[in-house]
C-alpha cells in the first residue's frame, strides 16, 4: 500500500516530465538546505540561481513555473530571502506585471486586424524575398508597440490556417467537412513533395517573423518585459528609451533586414524556399472567398481595431499613462466597439499572459535572493574594474551569453538591479549608469535569438501546435537563427565598442532630445538600489 502511494505520488510530481528531470529537481530541493545551513549561504544562493536557469533552459521538458516556483518557495522558507523582500521586488516592478496582464490581453482582441495584415502579405506579394522582408519588418514594427508573444501568436494562427486549408485540399477532403490536418495519411502521393516544400516555406517565414520580434522588441520600452524594468529603473519614458537605444538598435535593425534578404537570395541556412504555384492559388482562392463572405459588421470591426491601434501608438509615444493602464484601455475599447460582452470571451484573452506573469513573479523571488545574499556583487565589481567602452562591451557580452542559455527577462532584471545598486552606492556615475542600461538592454535582446531559451517568442513558437506540423525542431530553429545571431550580436557589439553609443548620447544631450537625470528621484530611491 505504501509503495503504491509513493509510486502514485512520484508519477503525479511534475506530471509527464522525464524521470531524470524529476530526479534533478528533487535533488536540488534536498541539496539547497544542506548548502545553506552547513556549507555557505553564498554558495547556496549561487546553486539556486544555476538551478533556476536550468529550469528555464529545460522549458520544453516542463514549464519553469512549477519547478522554479518550488525552488523559490524553499528559498524563502529556509531564509535565503524573506516574503517582504519578494513583495518589495514585485511592487517595484508592478508596471511590468500590468503590461503582461493587460497589454497582452488587449492585443488579443485585435487579432483579426493582424490576421488580415499577414494574410494579405502572403497572398498579394509574389517575391519571396519581399514577403520575407515584409514579415520581418511587420513583426518588428508591431513588436515595438505590442507584445512579441501576441505578434508571434497571430503569425502562428495565420500559418496554421493556411496549412490546414492546403492540407485539406491535398488530402482530397470535402471543403465543408471537418479535417485532421495533423495526419498525412490521406495526402495524395503526388502532393507530398509539394507539402514538404510548403512546410519549408512556412518555416522560413516564421523564423524571419521571430527574429523580427527581437529587432523591434529591443527598440522600445514596451517591446520586451525587461525593457520596462530597465526603463523604470533608469526613469526613462517611451520616447527617451527609444532615443537612447537608437545608436545600437538602428544599425542592428538595418543589418537584420539585410541578413533576411541575403539568406533568402543565397538560399543559406535552409532559407530561400519558394511557395509552390499550386499552393499559392489555393491560398488566394481561400482569401478571395473569405473576403467575399465578410459582412459589414466584420468590416467595421477591422476599421475600429485600426483606430484603436492608432490610439495605442499615440498613448505610448506621449506616455499618457502607465503601459499596463493603456493596455487596459485597449481591452475596454476593443471589446466595447467589436461586440464582445460575454465574460468567458474576455477571460479567454488572459490565458496567454497569466502563466508568464506568474513565472515573472517567481523571477522576482530569485532576484530577492540575489540581493539578500549579494550574489552578483563580486561579478559586478569585477566588470566595473574595466573602464569606458570596454566596460559597456563586457556588460553587453555577459548579458548576451546568459540570455542565450537562460531567459532574457531574468538576466535583464538581475543585471539592472545590481547596476542600480552600484549607482546608489556611488561606484558609477549617472552617465555611466545610463550607458550600461543600454548595454544591458541590447545584450539581453539581441544575442538571445540564438536559442528558444532566451526569447519567449521563439519558445512560444517551438512549443506551439504548429511546430511539429511544419517540422520545426529545436536544433533546426537554432541552425536557422545562426546567421541572425552572428550578425545581430556583432553589429550590436561594434556599435557599443566603437564609441558610437557614447558619442551619439552626448549629441542627444547637446540637442536637447534627452536630458540628464541628476538630482531626480529616479537616481536613487532606496538604500538597496530600487
Amino acid at each position: 500500500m505504501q509503495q503504491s502511494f509513493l509510486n502514485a505520488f512520484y508519477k503525479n510530481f511534475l506530471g509527464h516530465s522525464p524521470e531524470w528531470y524529476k530526479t534533478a529537481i528533487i535533488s536540488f530541493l534536498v541539496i539547497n538546505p544542506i548548502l545553506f545551513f552547513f556549507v555557505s549561504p553564498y554558495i547556496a544562493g549561487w546553486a539556486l540561481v544555476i538551478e533556476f536557469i536550468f529550469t528555464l533552459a529545460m522549458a520544453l521538458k516542463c514549464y519553469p513555473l512549477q519547478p522554479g516556483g518550488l525552488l523559490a518557495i524553499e528559498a524563502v522558507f529556509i531564509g535565503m530571502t524573506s516574503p517582504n523582500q519578494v513583495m518589495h521586488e514585485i511592487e517595484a516592478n508592478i508596471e511590468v506585471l500590468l503590461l503582461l496582464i493587460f497589454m497582452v490581453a488587449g492585443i488579443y482582441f485585435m487579432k483579426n486586424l493582424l490576421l488580415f495584415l499577414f494574410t494579405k502579405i502572403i497572398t498579394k506579394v509574389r517575391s519571396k524575398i519581399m514577403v520575407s522582408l515584409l514579415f520581418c519588418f511587420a513583426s518588428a514594427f508591431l513588436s515595438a508597440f505590442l507584445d512579441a508573444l501576441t505578434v508571434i501568436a497571430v503569425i502562428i494562427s495565420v500559418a496554421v490556417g493556411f496549412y490546414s486549408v492546403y492540407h485539406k485540399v491535398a488530402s482530397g477532403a470535402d471543403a465543408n467537412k471537418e479535417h485532421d490536418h495533423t495526419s498525412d495519411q490521406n495526402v495524395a502521393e503526388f502532393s507530398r513533395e509539394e507539402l514538404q516544400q510548403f512546410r519549408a516555406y512556412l518555416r522560413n517565414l516564421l523564423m524571419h517573423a521571430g527574429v523580427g520580434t527581437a529587432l523591434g522588441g529591443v527598440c522600445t520600452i514596451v517591446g520586451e518585459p525587461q525593457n520596462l524594468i530597465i526603463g523604470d529603473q533608469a526613469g526613462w519614458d517611451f520616447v527617451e528609451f527609444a532615443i537612447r537605444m537608437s545608436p545600437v538598435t538602428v544599425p542592428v535593425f538595418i543589418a537584420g533586414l539585410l541578413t533576411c534578404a541575403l539568406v533568402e537570395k543565397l538560399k543559406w541556412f535552409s532559407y530561400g524556399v519558394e511557395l509552390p504555384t499550386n499552393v499559392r492559388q489555393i491560398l488566394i482562392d481561400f482569401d478571395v472567398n473569405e473576403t467575399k463572405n465578410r459582412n459589414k459588421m466584420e468590416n467595421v470591426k477591422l476599421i475600429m481595431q485600426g483606430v484603436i491601434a492608432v490610439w495605442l501608438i499615440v498613448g505610448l509615444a506621449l506616455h499618457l499613462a502607465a503601459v499596463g493602464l493603456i493596455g487596459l484601455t485597449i481591452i475596454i475599447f476593443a471589446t466595447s466597439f467589436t461586440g464582445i460582452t460575454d465574460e468567458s470571451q474576455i477571460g479567454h484573452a488572459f490565458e496567454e499572459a497569466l502563466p508568464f506573469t506568474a513565472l515573472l513573479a517567481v523571477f522576482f523571488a530569485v532576484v530577492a535572493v540575489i540581493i539578500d545574499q549579494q550574489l552578483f556583487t563580486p561579478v559586478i565589481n569585477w566588470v566595473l574594474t574595466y573602464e569606458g567602452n570596454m566596460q559597456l562591451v563586457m556588460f553587453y557580452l555577459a548579458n548576451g551569453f546568459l540570455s542565450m542559455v537562460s531567459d532574457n527577462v531574468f538576466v535583464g532584471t538581475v543585471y539592472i538591479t545590481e547596476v542600480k545598486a552600484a549607482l546608489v552606492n556611488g561606484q558609477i556615475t549617472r552617465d555611466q549608469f545610463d550607458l550600461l542600461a543600454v548595454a544591458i538592454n541590447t545584450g539581453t535582446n539581441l544575442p538571445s535569438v540564438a536559442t528558444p531559451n532566451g526569447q519567449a517568442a521563439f519558445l512560444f513558437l517551438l512549443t506551439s501546435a504548429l511546430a511539429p506540423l511544419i517540422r520545426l525542431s529545436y536544433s533546426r530553429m537554432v541552425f536557422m537563427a545562426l546567421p541572425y545571431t552572428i550578425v545581430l550580436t556583432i553589429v550590436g557589439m561594434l556599435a557599443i565598442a566603437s564609441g558610437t553609443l557614447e558619442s551619439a548620447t552626448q549629441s542627444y544631450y547637446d540637442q536637447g532630445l534627452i536630458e540628464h537625470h541628476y538630482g531626480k528621484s529616479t537616481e536613487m530611491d532606496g538604500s538597496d538600489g530600487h
Side-chain angles (χ1 to χ4, degrees), residues 146-465:
L146 313 178
D147 175 76
L149 280 178
T150 304
V151 174
I152 205 70
V154 168
I155 297 172
I156 289 171
S157 299
V158 174
V160 169
F162 281 151
Y163 181 86
S164 60
V165 167
Y166 172 71
H167 199 277
K168 179 180 286 189
V169 174
S171 302
D174 191 315
N176 298 317
K177 291 185 178 179
E178 289 294 318
H179 171 68
D180 181 13
H181 58 261
T182 63
S183 172
D184 293 347
Q185 186 174 349
N186 297 320
V187 175
E189 195 62 39
F190 62 85
S191 297
R192 288 182 180 270
E193 186 175 338
E194 194 172 67
L195 179 59
Q196 294 300 334
Q197 187 176 343
F198 185 37
R199 282 170 172 154
Y201 175 84
L202 291 176
R203 286 198 299 269
N204 286 184
L205 294 188
L206 284 160
M207 287 302 296
H208 291 314
V211 172
T213 62
L215 290 174
V218 68
C219 295
T220 67
I221 199 167
V222 296
E224 288 282 347
Q226 74 271 17
N227 298 19
L228 193 56
I229 295 171
I230 292 167
D232 183 59
Q233 292 281 20
W236 302 336
D237 61 18
F238 185 90
V239 174
E240 183 174 0
F241 186 98
I243 291 173
R244 285 185 180 275
M245 295 297 157
S246 62
V248 181
T249 56
V250 171
V252 164
F253 181 77
I254 295 170
L257 292 181
L258 289 174
T259 303
C260 175
L262 189 65
V263 294
E264 283 292 335
K265 179 71 174 176
L266 300 177
K267 302 184 187 302
W268 287 349
F269 295 91
S270 303
Y271 290 104
V273 180
E274 296 289 342
L275 179 63
T277 305
N278 186 44
V279 179
R280 177 185 296 279
Q281 192 56 51
I282 291 171
L283 298 183
I284 290 174
D285 292 343
F286 170 75
D287 182 49
V288 169
N289 187 56
E290 286 286 295
T291 302
K292 189 188 301 181
N293 294 329
R294 191 178 294 121
N295 59 35
K296 183 69 75 176
M297 286 183 65
E298 288 170 333
N299 286 328
V300 170
K301 284 181 183 180
L302 288 176
I303 293 171
M304 290 310 303
Q305 287 176 8
V307 173
I308 293 167
V310 173
W311 151 249
L312 171 64
I313 293 171
V314 171
L316 291 173
L318 299 181
H319 198 61
L320 298 180
V323 177
L325 295 183
I326 293 176
L328 181 57
T329 67
I330 298 299
I331 295 174
I332 295 169
F333 289 147
T335 53
S336 299
F337 296 110
T338 58
I340 297 172
T341 56
D342 189 77
E343 184 181 355
S344 63
Q345 287 179 288
I346 297 173
H348 188 62
F350 290 88
E351 291 177 5
E352 220 167 72
L354 288 182
F356 191 68
T357 305
L359 177 60
L360 199 61
V362 175
F363 284 173
F364 296 138
V366 177
V367 171
V369 172
I370 291 171
I371 291 169
D372 281 353
Q373 302 302 324
Q374 299 184 328
L375 302 184
F376 273 67
T377 303
V379 179
I380 297 294
N381 289 339
W382 172 71
V383 176
L384 290 176
T385 59
Y386 292 89
E387 296 182 358
N389 289 333
M390 185 52 63
Q391 186 181 94
L392 302 179
V393 170
M394 292 299 293
F395 266 90
Y396 175 84
L397 293 176
N399 279 268
F401 176 75
L402 278 177
S403 295
M404 287 181 185
V405 297
S406 179
D407 182 276
N408 54 9
V409 181
F410 174 65
V411 175
T413 302
V414 168
Y415 268 86
I416 196 63
T417 300
E418 290 298 324
V419 171
K420 185 66 177 287
L423 170 66
V424 171
N425 295 330
Q427 294 175 271
I428 56 175
T429 63
R430 175 66 210 214
D431 279 347
Q432 189 66 5
F433 170 81
D434 289 336
L435 294 173
L436 287 172
V438 176
I440 292 169
N441 185 68
T442 52
T444 56
N445 277 286
L446 300 177
S448 59
V449 301
T451 70
N453 302 338
Q455 288 274 351
F458 273 52
L459 186 61
F460 186 72
L461 172 58
L462 185 64
T463 55
S464 70

Side-chain angles (χ1 to χ4, degrees), residues 93-104 322-325:
N93 295 286
I94 189 66
E95 279 200 44
V96 182
L97 298 177
L98 291 179
L99 162 71
L100 287 171
I101 294 170
F102 292 135
M103 188 63 82
V104 175
V323 177
L325 295 183

Side-chain angles (χ1 to χ4, degrees), residues 51 54 73 122 289 291 334 421 460 503 505 522:
E51 290 159 6
F54 169 83
I73 290 170
I122 287 183
N289 187 56
T291 302
F460 186 72
S503 59
T505 302
T522 53

